[in-house]
């Protein structure tokens, strides 16, 4: 951290970000219900949201985020549209990406350049079975989608490109289980899949609404993999019933993502509290659902697209840049914009068979 904060222009005497040290006793096995969002907060939630609100009051964001107009689009997909005009107008332009294997570019914006005040704390686990995950710096996302939107950064001074690693993913999944909020979700946008900075990072995000992909049953593809068709885009589903499963699930997801990259495909990942793959009536408690989307890579903006398609859109949450679009968009139009990035059904099923075999070996 000392190296990173020096790079970020830390003033002499300014403190490094505090450490948030946690152990197995800090994990929240079952999150609060949707009716208890304001009353049930874990230590992690309290520290994160207090720090985030403090930075908002200090003017460290690109815009002041207030309540966002939100509506559920009529239709069976239950897509959630939100109007966030400021993010579209004020956010830093995405970096140009040329390939799935672009190296880290020290001349482009990267997270060693964050101001120290943008850092909230450093997550570090003690104890527990097996090697600990990567420590993660938790920083504000200066162009937030929602209250509490943060970046999860695995030691930025290592200057890793935006390629998912199992230790980084495991740290992010552990962060998801430190929250008592049922809608605290973590995710990853790969190169060619909506990533705007080619420097390894994940997102943490509070979303105050349930999504269909939390409970819909998946088709089994193998003992550790399912195909989830709920929501606007089919996803490969992994499931961790508790903290002990996070390490093997992280490895499986990253092996699958590496396979996608080798096949010339981009990926997005989302982790959310949810039911076992067979659905809520099949027995077993809720755990962590980890969804992996395979998609055709997109390098640069696509003319005529109503919105950028990244992990939120694939999950059914649509942050929209303009009031007329927010007011008028239909489910059919939104699904058409999302699905043009997806694989044809035969290709998706063939890929699912390949991933199932890969994970069994």
């Amino acid at each position: 951290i000392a190296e990173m904060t020096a790079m970020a222009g830390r003033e002499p005497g300014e403190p490094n970000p505090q450490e948030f040290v946690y152990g197995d006793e800090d994990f929240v096995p079952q999150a609060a219900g949707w009716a208890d969002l304001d009353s049930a907060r874990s230590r992690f939630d309290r520290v994160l949201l207090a720090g985030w609100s403090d930075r908002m009051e200090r003017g460290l964001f690109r815009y002041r985020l207030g309540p966002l107009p939100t509506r559920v689009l009529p239709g069976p997909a239950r897509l959630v549209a939100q109007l966030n005009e400021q993010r579209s107008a004020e956010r830093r332009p995405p970096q140009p990406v040329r390939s799935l294997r672009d190296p880290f570019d020290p001349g482009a914006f990267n997270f060693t350049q964050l101001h120290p005040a943008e850092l909230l704390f450093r997550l570090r686990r003690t104890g527990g079975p097996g090697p600990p995950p990567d420590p993660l710096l938790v920083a504000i996302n200066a162009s937030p989608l929602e209250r509490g939107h943060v970046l999860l950064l695995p030691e930025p001074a290592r200057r890793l490109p935006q390629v998912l690693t199992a230790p980084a993913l495991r740290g992010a999944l552990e962060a998801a289980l430190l929250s008592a909020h049922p809608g605290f979700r973590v995710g990853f946008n790969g190169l060619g899949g909506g990533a705007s900075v080619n420097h390894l990072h994940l997102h943490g995000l509070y979303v105050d609404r349930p999504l269909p992909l939390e409970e819909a049953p998946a088709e089994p593809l193998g003992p550790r993999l399912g195909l989830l068709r709920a929501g606007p885009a089919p996803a490969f589903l992994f499931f961790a019933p508790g903290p002990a499963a996070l390490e093997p699930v992280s490895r499986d997801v990253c092996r699958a993502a590496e396979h996608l990259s080798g096949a010339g495909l981009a990926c997005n990942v989302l982790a959310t509290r949810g039911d076992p793959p067979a659905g809520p009536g099949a027995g077993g408690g809720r755990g962590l659902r980890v969804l992996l989307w395979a998609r055709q890579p997109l390098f640069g903006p696509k003319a005529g697209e109503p919105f950028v398609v990244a992990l939120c859109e694939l999950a059914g949450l649509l942050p929209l840049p303009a009031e007329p679009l927010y007011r008028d968009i239909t489910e059919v139009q939104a699904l058409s914009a999302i699905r043009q990035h997806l694989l044809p059904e035969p290709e998706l099923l063939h890929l699912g068979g390949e991933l199932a075999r890969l994970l069994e070996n």
Side-chain angles (χ1 to χ4, degrees):
I1 291 183
E3 180 183 354
M4 200 216 85
T5 49
M7 290 178 182
R10 178 167 57 93
E11 296 298 324
E14 186 167 342
N16 287 336
Q18 69 186 64
E19 284 207 325
F20 185 101
V21 180
Y22 65 95
D24 286 355
E25 68 278 4
D26 292 293
F27 292 129
V28 181
Q30 297 298 321
W34 287 102
D36 305 317
L37 296 185
D38 292 328
S39 59
R41 289 185 180 178
S42 66
R43 180 169 70 99
F44 172 83
D45 295 320
R46 293 193 298 271
V47 171
L48 188 156
L49 290 169
W52 195 94
S53 298
D54 169 74
R55 282 18 174 226
M56 180 63 73
E57 291 302 315
R58 290 161 61 182
L60 293 172
F61 291 81
R62 287 177 171 257
Y63 48 86
R64 189 168 187 85
L65 187 74
L68 297 171
T70 302
R71 72 185 186 98
V72 178
L73 302 188
R78 290 160 49 196
L79 302 178
V80 178
Q82 282 191 325
L83 177 61
N84 193 335
E85 294 175 293
Q86 291 173 294
R87 177 175 167 84
S88 175
E90 304 292 339
R91 69 179 299 202
R92 181 183 293 107
Q95 291 177 12
V97 175
R98 296 169 294 277
S99 78
L100 299 173
R101 302 286 187 180
D102 269 10
F104 175 86
D105 179 1
F109 170 79
N110 62 77
F111 298 118
T112 68
Q113 299 166 13
L114 293 179
H115 189 280
E118 295 180 68
L119 308 177
L120 300 181
F121 52 86
R122 182 178 187 260
L123 274 175
R124 182 170 65 84
R125 199 198 73 195
T126 60
D134 276 358
L136 296 178
L137 278 170
V138 180
I140 63 170
N141 186 321
S143 301
L145 286 164
E146 277 277 13
R147 184 178 67 105
H149 185 182
V150 293
L151 301 172
L152 306 173
L153 309 173
E155 297 298 0
R158 293 166 62 191
R159 302 182 176 215
L160 298 174
Q162 183 68 350
V163 176
L164 194 59
T165 67
L169 178 59
R170 183 179 168 202
L173 298 184
E174 291 196 353
L177 290 188
L178 290 172
S179 174
H181 191 296
F184 181 73
R185 292 150 177 144
V186 300
F188 172 84
N189 292 318
L191 297 177
S196 60
V197 178
N198 186 14
H199 191 183
L200 183 55
H201 66 286
L202 296 97
H203 294 266
L205 189 67
Y206 290 88
V207 181
D208 289 344
R209 289 173 180 267
L211 297 171
L213 49 74
E214 296 169 25
E215 60 181 21
E219 304 167 19
L221 298 176
R224 292 144 65 185
L225 184 69
L227 178 63
L228 185 69
R229 295 184 182 273
F236 297 112
L237 176 64
F238 305 76
F239 184 70
L246 297 183
E247 196 271 337
V249 164
S250 299
R251 270 191 286 110
D252 284 351
V253 172
C254 288
R255 287 181 71 196
E258 184 179 2
H259 183 83
L260 299 188
S261 179
L265 299 171
C267 75
N268 303 84
V269 176
L270 176 78
T272 182
R273 300 275 187 165
D275 290 295
R286 284 166 68 88
L288 209 57
R289 285 186 165 201
V290 184
L291 292 91
L292 171 69
W293 285 279
R295 56 183 290 174
Q296 302 290 354
L298 178 64
F299 304 117
K302 189 170 182 178
E305 280 200 317
F307 49 79
V308 175
V309 176
L311 72 91
C312 285
E313 292 77 10
L314 293 167
L317 177 66
L318 311 179
L320 299 176
E323 199 279 332
L325 178 64
Y326 168 78
R327 182 188 65 232
D328 298 334
I329 193 168
T330 66
E331 181 184 274
V332 170
Q333 291 169 330
L335 292 177
S336 175
I338 292 169
R339 289 174 177 170
Q340 64 179 309
H341 296 276
L342 306 181
L343 305 182
E345 176 89 354
E347 188 175 341
L348 179 71
L349 295 176
H350 178 75
L351 180 61
E354 290 183 340
L355 294 180
R357 290 188 293 273
L358 173 73
L359 298 179
E360 289 171 18
N361 295 328

